[in-house]
Amino acid sequence: MPELIPVLKREDIEESTASVARQISAAYKGRKLVLVGVLKGAFIFMADLARRLTIPVEIDFVRAASYGSGTTSSGKIEITKEIDIDIEGKDVLVVEDIVDSGLTLTYLVNYLNKFKPATVRVCTLLDKLERRQSKIKVDYACHTIEKGFLVGYGLDYDEAYRELPAIYHLKFQ
Ligand code: IMP
Ligand code: MG
């Protein structure tokens, strides 16, 4: 059985989410924003972030599949749930759970840009620097993590651990 080592407490996540939500609300003041959550991992972060914003938002989700049951990106990405809202001319904020290689996000931003939004920016709960392979710009990150495979608060390993209220490093023996 892998071991769960605590990395971020519930309160740490609440604090960083509130701070990033303040930055986003200030940056988009007087405008409205389309939040595009990346399923499934971002569903909890999206719900908490959205409730802390003080600007009006529209909510949508996309799903991009890249990971199998392992812990490294296959590099092959496909959209398995498309966007529903018309984002042409709108400000879009992609909401991710974690940016690792950056390949998923690069693919998603290119996909969204095809619908001619006014702007596309990126907000992630966790920015993991260890395996970055793409130059994608992360505009808002709640926490920066050096390395390791993380689970909880939406993040899974083979569909397990998403329901945990805090974030853990999953250590394989
Ligand atoms: P990337 O394409 O390598 O940046 O991978 C991004 C996606 O892989 C994330 O949206 C997650 O769904 C998943 N992922 C990457 N690292 C982790 C991790 O440490 N725990 C859980 N999922 C991860
Ligand atoms: Mg994800």
Side-chain angles (χ1 to χ4, degrees), residues 13 41 44 125-126 150-157 160-168:
I13 302 169
I44 293 180
L125 172 69
L126 305 169
L150 304 168
V151 296
Y153 195 74
L155 288 92
D156 76 309
Y157 173 65
Y161 310 113
R162 291 196 198 274
E163 74 281 15
L164 300 178
I167 291 180
Y168 299 84

Side-chain angles (χ1 to χ4, degrees), residues 38-42 64 66-67 70-75 77 96-106 108 124 126 128 130-133 136 145 147-152 154-158 162 168-170:
V38 185
L39 294 172
K40 302 178 195 171
S66 74
Y67 272 42
T71 58
T72 54
S73 181
S74 66
I77 296 140
E96 256 286 25
D97 53 354
I98 183 164
V99 182
D100 185 11
S101 70
L103 297 174
T104 306
L105 203 53
T106 304
L108 273 175
T124 187
L126 305 169
K128 188 162 72 176
E130 177 189 24
R131 292 195 291 227
R132 191 63 40 88
Q133 287 178 42
I136 189 87
I145 303 283
K147 57 182 179 182
F149 194 82
L150 304 168
V151 296
L155 288 92
D156 76 309
Y157 173 65
D158 214 2
R162 291 196 198 274
Y168 299 84
H169 176 197
L170 190 68

Side-chain angles (χ1 to χ4, degrees), residues 1 3 22 25 27 34 38 40 44 48 52 57 64-65 85 89 95 107 109 112 115 135-136 140 154 160-161 164:
M1 280 293 278
E3 198 185 335
R22 278 194 296 272
S25 300
V34 182
V38 185
K40 302 178 195 171
I44 293 180
D48 284 345
R52 291 198 181 267
V57 294
I85 291 181
V95 180
Y107 188 92
V109 168
L112 292 170
F115 300 97
K135 288 210 184 85
I136 189 87
Y140 303 97
Y161 310 113
L164 300 178

Side-chain angles (χ1 to χ4, degrees), residues 36-76:
V36 177
V38 185
L39 294 172
K40 302 178 195 171
F43 81 109
I44 293 180
F45 176 49
M46 174 81 148
D48 284 345
L49 180 72
R51 280 179 287 185
R52 291 198 181 267
L53 295 174
T54 56
I55 48 166
V57 294
E58 290 179 87
I59 305 273
D60 206 346
F61 290 95
V62 288
R63 179 148 195 227
S66 74
Y67 272 42
S69 56
T71 58
T72 54
S73 181
S74 66
K76 285 193 206 113

